[in-house]
Amino acid sequence: MGVRRVLVLALAGVAVLAAPSAAQDAAADRCRSALLARPNPPTRIIDPCHELAVAAVSDRTSRYWVSPRDVQSGVGGSAAPAGSPAQGSAVPSTMPTALAATTVAAVAHDSGTTTITAISLNPMILFSASGDPLEIARLSRLLDITLFVPVDGLDEDDDGRIDYAGARLRINLMAGSQSHDLLDRLSEAVRAEMDLASLIQPVLSEATDPGKCVASLNASDATTAVVTESCDGPLPVQVDEARYTGLRAAMREAREAADARYLGLDLRVDTGDPVFGTAHHAPGTSLVAAVAAGRRITDATGGASTGIRGRVGARYVTLRDTTVTDWQLDGGLAFEASRQVEDQRIELSLGLEFRFSGNRTSAEVLRTRYAEIRGGITVPIAGASAVVVSLSAPIWGDVSPTLSVSGNWRQLLGALSGS
Amino acid sequence: MMAYKGAIQRGCRVAAELVLDPAAGGHALVAVAYASNARSRGSRALTVAPGMTDHCEIPTSDREKGMVRITVDLNRDADPATLTVYVDGQVADSAQLAGDTTWVYAVS
């Protein structure tokens, strides 16, 4: 008798222990079926009811996600040799070229015409293994180097030296900067989604048809009564739309920071005669170290944008044929306006550039003590190329007006991408 | 495009790699965010320049269920880009994108 009682109690105990497990298995099977019945069924299922709850929440929150791309700006990064007669826009940006870019410019100035070609390279492409794109990418936003020379006569005075050449180093101090606000809002949004999923999961586990429950939850016209009936009980779901509105704004801000805002160093070296023979004893070597910054603001419709950019720094000049040296203040301030037209961006810039030092007697050969107005227009002719027309005219001092027409091509080393 | 992609094992590391074609009209943003049902959370985001490849990675708790949301924000719908998600270094999903994309994973 005692043995029989023990056996009965043991069987009852096993039944009690097994019942929840069987119920959980049944619920998991129902949730698994609902997951597999989705339009794009997942290939990996571990905890079906938890995963169905996450899928249901992501379906629901996707309604509140609106792409911000329409209000985002494009990115510059051309090879225009800033500070040379071939400079393409007023106070050009220091945003580096992503991979490579080249410019060929026809320039008219006091002494005639010149053709200048420039190439910008991201040095990480030269020194990093092409099979390691991640390493390239990590450093690619930092800097680029631009080299330029006149191509219609490297040594017209036959002195064995290149008449004029220069190099530019653009360093983007904001490379890789991210919006902390974006990350905070992203975490908040996903936190809220996870809370929702945690609330939904027990209901889905109890529902006789969790797939029907999820469908009613995400039906735009479902009433509370319908959802309650479909889910065999009330579903505590509320989506805070404001979180997604804020997230959208934060993402737009982060993208704008990368595309439209920069703070960088603009380092320039020139050797030779930058005035192409209009002044005697002008050949020399100059070094410029400047800080440059810019900000572009895109309007709410995503089409037009306006911006401001400036540069200020020091220039040191030593002339080749004399003992004259000079320290100068070099800078500029410009406004830009641009508009995205389908896949292209038209850009206008207008600004004031100046250079000043205390040397009055050699101002012309030192190219100092002047201010000039410079304007430029960039008209893209394809996705990564453009025609640029630029004009400068002095408003104070003795420098030549210039007119340049150039063609820009960007990102010619696309084959490296993802290699 | 927003899609639930499936389950990943808790305790894994999730990495989203974006390859942005040089023909893209501007930077893209890729963001990875994680939240667990026990208040753990974290997020990473970065911008990718045209022609570049970059990735951001986030760990998940080995004790808690949760979810991971990966968002890619392209400059234009037509920007050619490829998103690959790695779970503990192994490719979980990879696809060429057609516009802004969000992929959601359940951490189980």
Side-chain angles (χ1 to χ4, degrees), chain A residues 23-318:
Chain A
Q24 286 172 0
D25 289 347
D29 287 342
R30 292 193 297 271
C31 291
R32 180 178 288 102
S33 298
L35 279 169
L36 294 175
R38 289 171 60 84
N40 295 301
T43 57
R44 298 174 299 277
I45 299 176
I46 301 170
D47 185 344
C49 289
H50 165 64
E51 290 150 25
L52 183 62
V54 170
V57 168
S58 66
D59 289 346
R60 188 168 177 85
T61 55
S62 67
R63 293 183 202 168
Y64 305 99
W65 182 257
V66 179
S67 166
R69 64 181 171 277
D70 289 338
V71 290
Q72 292 165 351
S73 62
V75 65
S78 69
S84 81
Q87 178 175 317
S89 60
V91 192
S93 165
T94 58
M95 283 289 285
T97 298
L99 288 175
T102 187
T103 292
V104 177
V107 181
H109 46 84
D110 272 358
S111 61
T113 59
T114 307
T115 302
I116 293 177
T117 186
I119 185 167
S120 290
L121 290 173
N122 191 308
M124 303 311 163
I125 290 173
L126 297 177
F127 300 116
S128 294
S130 61
D132 189 1
L134 291 180
E135 183 183 343
I136 294 173
R138 223 174 289 283
L139 300 172
S140 67
R141 294 185 292 269
L142 284 176
L143 58 90
D144 71 353
I145 295 174
T146 301
L147 304 172
F148 66 89
V149 292
V151 291
D152 55 350
L154 285 177
D155 185 18
E156 289 198 330
D157 57 5
D158 294 326
D159 67 349
R161 299 174 176 176
I162 293 176
D163 291 343
Y164 180 51
R168 305 288 182 258
L169 178 64
R170 295 184 287 198
I171 302 174
N172 180 17
L173 299 178
M174 295 181 69
S177 67
Q178 301 298 330
S179 165
H180 294 293
D181 189 36
L182 164 69
L183 295 178
D184 288 344
R185 294 186 192 195
L186 193 60
S187 291
E188 281 178 19
V190 178
R191 171 75 263 159
E193 289 177 335
M194 189 60 234
D195 288 345
L196 278 177
S198 297
L199 289 171
I200 289 172
Q201 184 184 340
V203 179
L204 295 178
S205 298
E206 296 296 322
T208 53
D209 186 349
K212 184 180 175 185
C213 175
V214 171
S216 69
L217 170 66
N218 290 317
S220 57
D221 56 349
T223 62
T224 303
V226 169
V227 172
T228 301
E229 182 187 346
S230 301
C231 299
D232 303 320
L235 203 54
V237 171
Q238 283 188 330
V239 176
D240 183 0
E241 186 180 349
R243 288 183 191 276
Y244 297 92
T245 306
L247 180 58
R248 187 173 69 230
M251 293 196 76
R252 182 174 65 238
E253 187 176 314
R255 283 285 312 278
E256 282 293 324
D259 271 5
R261 191 167 57 197
Y262 66 87
L263 172 64
L265 298 179
D266 188 356
L267 308 176
R268 307 174 179 181
V269 179
D270 284 20
T271 182
D273 182 4
V275 297
F276 297 99
T278 56
H280 292 297
H281 308 304
T285 299
S286 68
L287 305 170
V288 175
V291 175
R295 180 77 173 100
R296 178 189 291 164
I297 301 168
T298 303
D299 71 11
T301 65
S305 63
T306 56
I308 185 171
R309 53 203 192 202
R311 184 191 79 252
V312 65
R315 182 175 187 255
Y316 174 75
V317 185
T318 176

Side-chain angles (χ1 to χ4, degrees), chain A residues 51 67 137 193 255 259 411, chain B residues 22 27 36 53 69 75 100 108:
Chain A
E51 290 150 25
S67 166
E193 289 177 335
R255 283 285 312 278
D259 271 5
Q411 301 155 351
Chain B
H27 286 73
S36 81
T53 302
R69 173 199 270 260
N75 185 265
D100 295 346
S108 296

Side-chain angles (χ1 to χ4, degrees), chain B:
Chain B
M1 185 179 69
M2 187 155 180
Y4 171 72
K5 302 297 284 184
I8 54 180
Q9 196 74 44
R10 66 182 84 171
C12 66
R13 296 186 70 84
V14 182
E17 178 188 87
L18 185 70
V19 179
L20 189 60
D21 192 272
H27 286 73
L29 185 143
V30 57
V32 181
Y34 161 72
S36 81
N37 59 3
R39 315 306 293 180
S40 297
R41 67 180 188 178
S43 56
R44 302 279 189 279
L46 54 82
T47 52
V48 182
M52 293 292 104
T53 302
D54 213 337
H55 81 300
C56 51
E57 183 173 294
I58 200 162
T60 61
S61 167
D62 60 358
R63 294 186 301 275
E64 303 152 5
K65 291 190 285 189
M67 64 182 291
V68 170
R69 173 199 270 260
I70 296 168
T71 301
V72 175
D73 178 20
L74 299 173
N75 185 265
R76 300 181 308 226
D77 253 352
D79 282 355
T82 301
L83 175 64
T84 302
V85 173
Y86 295 89
V87 176
D88 284 338
Q90 303 296 313
V91 175
D93 289 289
S94 185
Q96 290 194 324
L97 305 184
D100 295 346
T101 296
T102 296
W103 288 355
V104 175
Y105 293 87
V107 181
S108 296

